Amino acid sequence: MYREFILDHYKSPRNSGSIENADIIHKEVNPLCGDQVEIFLKLNGSGTIQEVKHLSRGCAISVSSMSLLSETLKGKSLKDAAGIRKEDIIGMLGIPVGPVRIKCALLCLYALKDGIVKYESAKP
Ligand code: FES
């Protein structure tokens, strides 16, 4: 049903785990099913993403999307990370994502963007 690489990311999510002293920690839950992704980002002194981890529990699309996204974040500025669009996530998955599955695919993006907004708004 899904491409092999999606199932591979689902079974072995890349960058799985947590970062104890992360600068950004944010959990996003899909209220329809209870699936969740929690993202951890460690920044360097100039605000570039230095380390990425996530704890994801959910369907194949939500977990593999988070895994794929996590591979692209290291080395990005927060501004560039905040600019990632839903089309980028769908492009990474490489499959048509219908209205039912779009929430699964975008759970990781909401976690990333809301985490960045929370971090930026807490700055003095
Ligand atoms: Fe819950 Fe996909 S079914 S996020």
Side-chain angles (χ1 to χ4, degrees), residues 3-15:
R3 287 189 180 181
E4 194 127 332
F5 83 93
I6 292 179
L7 293 175
D8 183 53
H9 276 269
Y10 174 54
K11 287 180 198 156
S12 309
R14 315 307 192 260
N15 302 304

Side-chain angles (χ1 to χ4, degrees), residues 96-114:
V97 180
V100 176
R101 303 304 269 171
I102 194 73
K103 277 197 161 62
C104 311
L106 298 184
L107 200 58
C108 59
L109 196 59
Y110 298 145
L112 173 67
K113 293 199 179 213
D114 289 356

Side-chain angles (χ1 to χ4, degrees), residues 27 89 93-94 101 111 114 119-120:
K27 186 194 285 185
I89 304 292
L93 287 166
R101 303 304 269 171
D114 289 356
Y119 172 77
E120 297 283 9

Side-chain angles (χ1 to χ4, degrees), residues 30 33 35 59 62 101 104:
N30 181 343
C33 59
D35 291 352
C59 65
S62 67
R101 303 304 269 171
C104 311

